[in-house]
mmCIF file of all heavy atoms in Angstrom:
data_model
loop_
_atom_site.group_PDB
_atom_site.id
_atom_site.type_symbol
_atom_site.label_atom_id
_atom_site.label_comp_id
_atom_site.label_asym_id
_atom_site.label_seq_id
_atom_site.Cartn_x
_atom_site.Cartn_y
_atom_site.Cartn_z
ATOM 1 N N ALA A 39 -5.299 -36.355 -53.273
ATOM 2 C CA ALA A 39 -4.052 -37.071 -53.106
ATOM 3 C C ALA A 39 -2.915 -36.068 -53.115
ATOM 4 O O ALA A 39 -2.408 -35.723 -54.162
ATOM 5 C CB ALA A 39 -3.895 -38.087 -54.215
ATOM 6 N N LYS A 40 -2.587 -35.579 -51.961
ATOM 7 C CA LYS A 40 -1.494 -34.606 -51.922
ATOM 8 C C LYS A 40 -0.165 -35.330 -52.071
ATOM 9 O O LYS A 40 -0.066 -36.537 -51.882
ATOM 10 C CB LYS A 40 -1.526 -33.846 -50.582
ATOM 11 C CG LYS A 40 -2.706 -32.925 -50.467
ATOM 12 C CD LYS A 40 -2.492 -31.657 -51.277
ATOM 13 C CE LYS A 40 -3.745 -30.815 -51.222
ATOM 14 N NZ LYS A 40 -3.784 -29.777 -52.208
ATOM 15 N N MET A 100 6.777 -33.917 -70.934
ATOM 16 C CA MET A 100 5.961 -32.700 -71.001
ATOM 17 C C MET A 100 6.848 -31.466 -71.066
ATOM 18 O O MET A 100 6.539 -30.492 -71.739
ATOM 19 C CB MET A 100 5.034 -32.617 -69.800
ATOM 20 C CG MET A 100 4.095 -31.445 -69.874
ATOM 21 S SD MET A 100 2.791 -31.558 -68.686
ATOM 22 C CE MET A 100 3.655 -31.226 -67.189
ATOM 23 N N GLY A 102 9.411 -31.314 -72.573
ATOM 24 C CA GLY A 102 9.988 -31.249 -73.908
ATOM 25 C C GLY A 102 11.261 -32.046 -74.074
ATOM 26 O O GLY A 102 12.021 -31.824 -74.997
ATOM 27 N N SER A 120 -0.408 -54.569 -61.775
ATOM 28 C CA SER A 120 -1.705 -54.722 -61.145
ATOM 29 C C SER A 120 -2.608 -53.631 -61.713
ATOM 30 O O SER A 120 -2.163 -52.774 -62.487
ATOM 31 C CB SER A 120 -1.564 -54.571 -59.643
ATOM 32 O OG SER A 120 -1.153 -53.252 -59.377
ATOM 33 N N ARG A 179 -20.688 -46.896 -73.327
ATOM 34 C CA ARG A 179 -20.452 -45.544 -73.837
ATOM 35 C C ARG A 179 -19.043 -45.414 -74.419
ATOM 36 O O ARG A 179 -18.841 -44.885 -75.501
ATOM 37 C CB ARG A 179 -20.631 -44.555 -72.691
ATOM 38 C CG ARG A 179 -20.673 -43.130 -73.124
ATOM 39 C CD ARG A 179 -20.728 -42.210 -71.931
ATOM 40 N NE ARG A 179 -21.787 -42.575 -71.005
ATOM 41 C CZ ARG A 179 -21.836 -42.140 -69.742
ATOM 42 N NH1 ARG A 179 -20.898 -41.364 -69.282
ATOM 43 N NH2 ARG A 179 -22.812 -42.497 -68.960
ATOM 44 N N LYS A 187 -14.153 -43.329 -83.164
ATOM 45 C CA LYS A 187 -12.776 -43.085 -83.597
ATOM 46 C C LYS A 187 -12.403 -43.997 -84.760
ATOM 47 O O LYS A 187 -11.736 -43.569 -85.701
ATOM 48 C CB LYS A 187 -11.819 -43.293 -82.419
ATOM 49 C CG LYS A 187 -11.742 -42.107 -81.505
ATOM 50 C CD LYS A 187 -10.992 -40.954 -82.184
ATOM 51 C CE LYS A 187 -11.295 -39.647 -81.478
ATOM 52 N NZ LYS A 187 -10.724 -38.479 -82.117
ATOM 53 N N TYR A 254 -26.433 -29.203 -66.623
ATOM 54 C CA TYR A 254 -25.213 -28.426 -66.436
ATOM 55 C C TYR A 254 -25.660 -27.016 -66.084
ATOM 56 O O TYR A 254 -26.281 -26.343 -66.909
ATOM 57 C CB TYR A 254 -24.388 -28.425 -67.713
ATOM 58 C CG TYR A 254 -23.128 -27.604 -67.632
ATOM 59 C CD1 TYR A 254 -21.956 -28.160 -67.148
ATOM 60 C CD2 TYR A 254 -23.120 -26.273 -68.031
ATOM 61 C CE1 TYR A 254 -20.808 -27.413 -67.062
ATOM 62 C CE2 TYR A 254 -21.965 -25.524 -67.947
ATOM 63 C CZ TYR A 254 -20.817 -26.103 -67.460
ATOM 64 O OH TYR A 254 -19.676 -25.350 -67.368
ATOM 65 N N HIS A 255 -25.359 -26.597 -64.887
ATOM 66 C CA HIS A 255 -25.835 -25.300 -64.410
ATOM 67 C C HIS A 255 -27.325 -25.142 -64.715
ATOM 68 O O HIS A 255 -27.743 -24.171 -65.332
ATOM 69 C CB HIS A 255 -25.019 -24.161 -65.012
ATOM 70 C CG HIS A 255 -23.609 -24.175 -64.536
ATOM 71 N ND1 HIS A 255 -23.163 -23.456 -63.449
ATOM 72 C CD2 HIS A 255 -22.533 -24.857 -64.970
ATOM 73 C CE1 HIS A 255 -21.882 -23.690 -63.256
ATOM 74 N NE2 HIS A 255 -21.469 -24.525 -64.152
ATOM 75 N N ARG A 268 -26.911 -29.626 -84.320
ATOM 76 C CA ARG A 268 -26.004 -29.712 -85.464
ATOM 77 C C ARG A 268 -26.457 -30.790 -86.435
ATOM 78 O O ARG A 268 -26.402 -30.609 -87.657
ATOM 79 C CB ARG A 268 -24.578 -29.978 -84.986
ATOM 80 C CG ARG A 268 -23.910 -28.714 -84.498
ATOM 81 C CD ARG A 268 -22.595 -28.969 -83.856
ATOM 82 N NE ARG A 268 -21.585 -29.428 -84.803
ATOM 83 C CZ ARG A 268 -20.361 -29.781 -84.429
ATOM 84 N NH1 ARG A 268 -20.008 -29.715 -83.176
ATOM 85 N NH2 ARG A 268 -19.499 -30.178 -85.329
ATOM 86 N N ALA A 304 -24.648 -20.660 -75.827
ATOM 87 C CA ALA A 304 -24.072 -21.661 -76.723
ATOM 88 C C ALA A 304 -25.185 -22.371 -77.492
ATOM 89 O O ALA A 304 -25.098 -22.570 -78.704
ATOM 90 C CB ALA A 304 -23.255 -22.670 -75.932
ATOM 91 N N GLU A 308 -26.219 -22.120 -81.599
ATOM 92 C CA GLU A 308 -26.351 -23.296 -82.440
ATOM 93 C C GLU A 308 -27.740 -23.333 -83.083
ATOM 94 O O GLU A 308 -27.903 -23.698 -84.243
ATOM 95 C CB GLU A 308 -26.107 -24.537 -81.582
ATOM 96 C CG GLU A 308 -25.498 -25.693 -82.327
ATOM 97 C CD GLU A 308 -24.147 -25.363 -82.938
ATOM 98 O OE1 GLU A 308 -23.239 -24.881 -82.228
ATOM 99 O OE2 GLU A 308 -23.995 -25.585 -84.143
ATOM 100 N N ASN A 340 -17.123 -12.033 -75.733
ATOM 101 C CA ASN A 340 -17.255 -13.343 -76.371
ATOM 102 C C ASN A 340 -18.557 -13.449 -77.148
ATOM 103 O O ASN A 340 -18.597 -13.994 -78.247
ATOM 104 C CB ASN A 340 -17.210 -14.449 -75.319
ATOM 105 C CG ASN A 340 -15.819 -14.660 -74.809
ATOM 106 O OD1 ASN A 340 -14.857 -14.218 -75.424
ATOM 107 N ND2 ASN A 340 -15.699 -15.307 -73.673
ATOM 108 N N TYR A 343 -18.442 -11.393 -80.305
ATOM 109 C CA TYR A 343 -17.698 -12.125 -81.335
ATOM 110 C C TYR A 343 -18.603 -13.139 -82.028
ATOM 111 O O TYR A 343 -18.661 -13.206 -83.257
ATOM 112 C CB TYR A 343 -16.508 -12.831 -80.688
ATOM 113 C CG TYR A 343 -15.769 -13.781 -81.591
ATOM 114 C CD1 TYR A 343 -14.819 -13.310 -82.488
ATOM 115 C CD2 TYR A 343 -16.009 -15.145 -81.547
ATOM 116 C CE1 TYR A 343 -14.144 -14.172 -83.315
ATOM 117 C CE2 TYR A 343 -15.337 -16.020 -82.369
ATOM 118 C CZ TYR A 343 -14.401 -15.529 -83.251
ATOM 119 O OH TYR A 343 -13.735 -16.396 -84.076
ATOM 120 N N ASP A 375 -9.323 -5.363 -80.064
ATOM 121 C CA ASP A 375 -8.996 -6.778 -80.221
ATOM 122 C C ASP A 375 -8.978 -7.151 -81.706
ATOM 123 O O ASP A 375 -9.977 -7.041 -82.396
ATOM 124 C CB ASP A 375 -10.049 -7.613 -79.487
ATOM 125 C CG ASP A 375 -9.655 -9.076 -79.421
ATOM 126 O OD1 ASP A 375 -8.750 -9.466 -80.182
ATOM 127 O OD2 ASP A 375 -10.249 -9.812 -78.620
ATOM 128 N N ARG B 29 1.906 -27.090 -68.273
ATOM 129 C CA ARG B 29 1.564 -27.906 -67.109
ATOM 130 C C ARG B 29 0.903 -29.218 -67.494
ATOM 131 O O ARG B 29 0.961 -30.184 -66.774
ATOM 132 C CB ARG B 29 0.625 -27.120 -66.184
ATOM 133 C CG ARG B 29 1.235 -25.885 -65.576
ATOM 134 C CD ARG B 29 2.427 -26.239 -64.732
ATOM 135 N NE ARG B 29 3.033 -25.045 -64.159
ATOM 136 C CZ ARG B 29 4.318 -24.934 -63.866
ATOM 137 N NH1 ARG B 29 5.131 -25.944 -64.097
ATOM 138 N NH2 ARG B 29 4.789 -23.825 -63.346
ATOM 139 N N ARG B 56 -2.320 -11.696 -75.258
ATOM 140 C CA ARG B 56 -3.636 -11.081 -75.329
ATOM 141 C C ARG B 56 -4.029 -10.448 -74.014
ATOM 142 O O ARG B 56 -3.659 -10.923 -72.960
ATOM 143 C CB ARG B 56 -4.668 -12.117 -75.796
ATOM 144 C CG ARG B 56 -4.435 -12.463 -77.252
ATOM 145 C CD ARG B 56 -5.394 -13.460 -77.766
ATOM 146 N NE ARG B 56 -6.783 -13.041 -77.646
ATOM 147 C CZ ARG B 56 -7.403 -12.237 -78.487
ATOM 148 N NH1 ARG B 56 -6.741 -11.733 -79.503
ATOM 149 N NH2 ARG B 56 -8.665 -11.930 -78.323
ATOM 150 N N CYS B 61 -11.499 -11.166 -76.339
ATOM 151 C CA CYS B 61 -12.379 -12.325 -76.326
ATOM 152 C C CYS B 61 -11.578 -13.622 -76.255
ATOM 153 O O CYS B 61 -10.397 -13.660 -76.556
ATOM 154 C CB CYS B 61 -13.309 -12.315 -77.531
ATOM 155 S SG CYS B 61 -12.525 -12.676 -79.073
ATOM 156 N N SER B 62 -12.255 -14.662 -75.830
ATOM 157 C CA SER B 62 -11.579 -15.929 -75.528
ATOM 158 C C SER B 62 -11.354 -16.794 -76.747
ATOM 159 O O SER B 62 -10.954 -17.937 -76.602
ATOM 160 C CB SER B 62 -12.407 -16.734 -74.543
ATOM 161 O OG SER B 62 -12.765 -15.951 -73.457
ATOM 162 N N GLU B 65 -8.740 -17.135 -83.945
ATOM 163 C CA GLU B 65 -8.551 -17.906 -85.153
ATOM 164 C C GLU B 65 -7.074 -17.912 -85.392
ATOM 165 O O GLU B 65 -6.483 -16.910 -85.769
ATOM 166 C CB GLU B 65 -9.306 -17.272 -86.312
ATOM 167 C CG GLU B 65 -10.679 -17.868 -86.442
ATOM 168 C CD GLU B 65 -11.647 -16.913 -87.050
ATOM 169 O OE1 GLU B 65 -11.476 -16.599 -88.229
ATOM 170 O OE2 GLU B 65 -12.564 -16.470 -86.336
ATOM 171 N N ASP B 89 -17.027 -26.351 -84.712
ATOM 172 C CA ASP B 89 -17.434 -26.545 -83.320
ATOM 173 C C ASP B 89 -17.926 -25.262 -82.686
ATOM 174 O O ASP B 89 -17.542 -24.165 -83.081
ATOM 175 C CB ASP B 89 -16.260 -27.107 -82.514
ATOM 176 C CG ASP B 89 -16.126 -28.606 -82.706
ATOM 177 O OD1 ASP B 89 -17.117 -29.212 -83.141
ATOM 178 O OD2 ASP B 89 -15.042 -29.152 -82.446
ATOM 179 N N ASN B 90 -18.731 -25.438 -81.672
ATOM 180 C CA ASN B 90 -19.310 -24.303 -80.964
ATOM 181 C C ASN B 90 -18.308 -23.773 -79.936
ATOM 182 O O ASN B 90 -17.839 -24.501 -79.066
ATOM 183 C CB ASN B 90 -20.589 -24.798 -80.287
ATOM 184 C CG ASN B 90 -21.384 -23.678 -79.695
ATOM 185 O OD1 ASN B 90 -20.846 -22.840 -78.999
ATOM 186 N ND2 ASN B 90 -22.673 -23.657 -79.979
ATOM 187 N N GLU B 96 -17.294 -23.997 -72.020
ATOM 188 C CA GLU B 96 -17.926 -24.682 -70.895
ATOM 189 C C GLU B 96 -17.235 -26.012 -70.594
ATOM 190 O O GLU B 96 -17.223 -26.463 -69.461
ATOM 191 C CB GLU B 96 -19.415 -24.914 -71.174
ATOM 192 C CG GLU B 96 -20.231 -23.629 -71.214
ATOM 193 C CD GLU B 96 -19.919 -22.688 -70.063
ATOM 194 O OE1 GLU B 96 -20.079 -23.085 -68.905
ATOM 195 O OE2 GLU B 96 -19.510 -21.543 -70.335
ATOM 196 N N GLU B 103 -14.030 -27.228 -62.851
ATOM 197 C CA GLU B 103 -14.904 -27.601 -61.736
ATOM 198 C C GLU B 103 -14.542 -28.982 -61.193
ATOM 199 O O GLU B 103 -14.516 -29.209 -59.987
ATOM 200 C CB GLU B 103 -16.366 -27.608 -62.197
ATOM 201 C CG GLU B 103 -16.978 -26.224 -62.335
ATOM 202 C CD GLU B 103 -18.429 -26.277 -62.787
ATOM 203 O OE1 GLU B 103 -18.841 -27.322 -63.339
ATOM 204 O OE2 GLU B 103 -19.130 -25.296 -62.601
ATOM 205 N N ASP B 116 -1.354 -28.157 -57.241
ATOM 206 C CA ASP B 116 -1.999 -29.465 -57.278
ATOM 207 C C ASP B 116 -1.774 -30.115 -58.628
ATOM 208 O O ASP B 116 -1.517 -31.316 -58.721
ATOM 209 C CB ASP B 116 -3.519 -29.310 -57.058
ATOM 210 C CG ASP B 116 -3.828 -28.944 -55.625
ATOM 211 O OD1 ASP B 116 -3.174 -29.504 -54.728
ATOM 212 O OD2 ASP B 116 -4.703 -28.092 -55.411
ATOM 213 N N ASN B 120 0.436 -33.344 -59.047
ATOM 214 C CA ASN B 120 -0.410 -34.516 -59.273
ATOM 215 C C ASN B 120 -0.907 -34.544 -60.709
ATOM 216 O O ASN B 120 -2.073 -34.785 -60.965
ATOM 217 C CB ASN B 120 -1.607 -34.489 -58.331
ATOM 218 C CG ASN B 120 -1.166 -34.594 -56.896
ATOM 219 O OD1 ASN B 120 -0.617 -35.599 -56.485
ATOM 220 N ND2 ASN B 120 -1.369 -33.526 -56.144
ATOM 221 N N GLY B 134 -11.154 -39.305 -76.529
ATOM 222 C CA GLY B 134 -10.851 -39.066 -77.938
ATOM 223 C C GLY B 134 -11.242 -37.669 -78.385
ATOM 224 O O GLY B 134 -11.580 -37.448 -79.538
ATOM 225 N N GLU B 139 -18.616 -37.738 -70.670
ATOM 226 C CA GLU B 139 -19.407 -37.771 -69.451
ATOM 227 C C GLU B 139 -19.458 -36.348 -68.915
ATOM 228 O O GLU B 139 -18.461 -35.811 -68.467
ATOM 229 C CB GLU B 139 -18.742 -38.703 -68.425
ATOM 230 C CG GLU B 139 -19.430 -38.712 -67.085
ATOM 231 C CD GLU B 139 -20.885 -39.124 -67.183
ATOM 232 O OE1 GLU B 139 -21.143 -40.327 -67.259
ATOM 233 O OE2 GLU B 139 -21.773 -38.233 -67.178
ATOM 234 N N HIS B 159 -5.942 -51.899 -53.059
ATOM 235 C CA HIS B 159 -4.883 -52.729 -53.600
ATOM 236 C C HIS B 159 -3.607 -52.545 -52.784
ATOM 237 O O HIS B 159 -2.922 -53.500 -52.443
ATOM 238 C CB HIS B 159 -4.666 -52.328 -55.049
ATOM 239 C CG HIS B 159 -3.790 -53.275 -55.794
ATOM 240 N ND1 HIS B 159 -4.244 -54.498 -56.202
ATOM 241 C CD2 HIS B 159 -2.496 -53.188 -56.164
ATOM 242 C CE1 HIS B 159 -3.243 -55.129 -56.809
ATOM 243 N NE2 HIS B 159 -2.179 -54.352 -56.805
#
Side-chain angles (χ1 to χ4, degrees):
Chain A
K40 291 283 175 195
M100 185 167 72
S120 65
R179 191 185 308 163
K187 279 289 162 185
Y254 178 87
H255 294 267
R268 280 172 68 184
E308 211 60 53
N340 285 344
Y343 172 82
D375 189 344
Chain B
R29 296 299 179 209
R56 290 180 58 82
C61 72
S62 310
E65 267 152 67
D89 279 341
N90 188 312
E96 292 314 301
E103 283 180 341
D116 288 320
N120 296 295
E139 175 58 81
H159 191 75

